[in-house]
Amino acid sequence: HAFLHHAQPVFTTTEILARNLVRDSGCSRLPQIIPNAFPPGSEAGLAETNPAAPDDPIRFYWFSQTIGPGRGLESLAAALRSVTGNWELHLRGEMRGYQDWFDTTFAQVDPDRIVVHAPVPNRELCAASAAFDVGLALEIPSYPNHDLTASNKIFEYLRSGLAVLATATSGQLEVMSQCPDAGWCIPPGEPAPLTAALQHCVDSRSSVLRAGAAAREASETIWAWDTYSSKIESSLLEACS
C-alpha cells in the first residue's frame, strides 16, 4: 500500500489487479498496466518447428518450472481420460520430487501419449513452444493472486502462435477478451468443460490453426512488447526528471 501511495512510477500486470490494489489501499491512483508480454520470437524458428500435417496428432502443451500439484494438471488428467482421437500431451518442466504424484495423477491416461520435456533457457522457449498446437493455461484461482494476474503462459503461447486454452480466471479473461479468436476459456478446476474443449481441438484442426494464427497476430498487435516497453521508458524518464 505504501508503494502505491508514494512510489513513482507504479506498474502492475492487469487492469483488474490494478483496480483491486486501488480499492484495498484507498489510493485513487491507478497503476499503469504492463502485461507479461514478450518480444516477438524468431519467424524462421517458428516456421521450422511448427509444421501442420493433417495426420499429425494435436499436440497439447503446458510448461512451468515445476510439474506438480496445484497448477491445474489434476483437472487436465481427469479430462484427458475421456478425450478420443489423435492427440498428445507435452509437458515442459521439472518434477522436483513430484514423480509419485505425477504417476498417480496421470495413471489413467495412456502414457504413450504423454511426453515430458526438460526446461530450456528463456531465449529458446518461443521456438521450443512453437513446436506444438494448443497451449494450456490452467491456473486455479485459489488465491487472489492466481485470480487477478494473467499467467506468463498465455503471452508465451500467443507469441509462439499456439491456440490458447485458458481457465477463466479474472486476469486471464481480461487477456483473452481482447483477442477472443486466439483460443477458448473454460471454468477453472472442472474436468467436463475441459474435456469438451480438448475434444473440440482434436476434432477440428482447422479451428486450432485459425486460433493459432490469431494468437500470433495478437502478440504482434494488441500485446506488442514494443508498445509497453516504450511506456516503461517514458514513465521512468518522467519519474527521474
Side-chain angles (χ1 to χ4, degrees), residues 26-146:
C27 177
S28 60
R29 183 170 55 131
L30 195 70
Q32 291 191 64
I33 311 305
I34 305 295
N36 293 317
F38 301 99
S42 165
E43 291 288 346
L46 291 173
E48 292 169 3
T49 57
N50 200 16
D55 56 347
D56 283 346
I58 289 292
R59 297 157 296 183
F60 299 112
Y61 178 60
W62 179 96
F63 77 91
S64 185
Q65 292 185 359
T66 302
I67 299 173
R71 295 165 172 82
L73 294 179
E74 295 89 346
S75 294
L76 177 61
L80 285 172
R81 298 170 193 167
S82 302
V83 178
T84 60
N86 193 12
W87 60 267
E88 295 174 349
L89 173 63
H90 294 258
L91 304 173
R92 186 180 304 281
E94 295 182 345
M95 292 292 180
R96 300 183 189 274
Y98 290 119
Q99 185 67 56
D100 289 344
W101 167 88
F102 179 83
D103 293 341
T104 300
T105 300
F106 285 88
Q108 297 184 49
V109 181
D110 182 356
D112 292 337
R113 293 181 183 261
I114 302 175
V115 182
V116 177
H117 302 266
V120 296
N122 287 341
R123 65 181 179 276
E124 299 175 13
L125 187 56
C126 182
S129 299
F132 307 105
D133 301 301
V134 181
L136 305 174
L138 305 176
E139 273 56 39
I140 305 297
S142 306
Y143 303 97
N145 180 58
H146 294 168

Side-chain angles (χ1 to χ4, degrees), residues 158-183:
L158 291 173
R159 75 165 182 156
S160 301
L162 274 62
V164 178
L165 179 53
T167 47
T169 66
S170 298
Q172 295 192 155
L173 276 175
E174 181 178 313
V175 173
M176 295 302 291
S177 67
Q178 296 188 57
C179 52
D181 293 338

Side-chain angles (χ1 to χ4, degrees), residues 223-239:
W223 304 111
W225 169 244
D226 288 347
T227 300
Y228 298 103
S229 61
S230 62
K231 288 183 179 181
I232 295 173
E233 183 178 357
S234 298
S235 297
L236 292 173
L237 289 173
E238 182 179 349

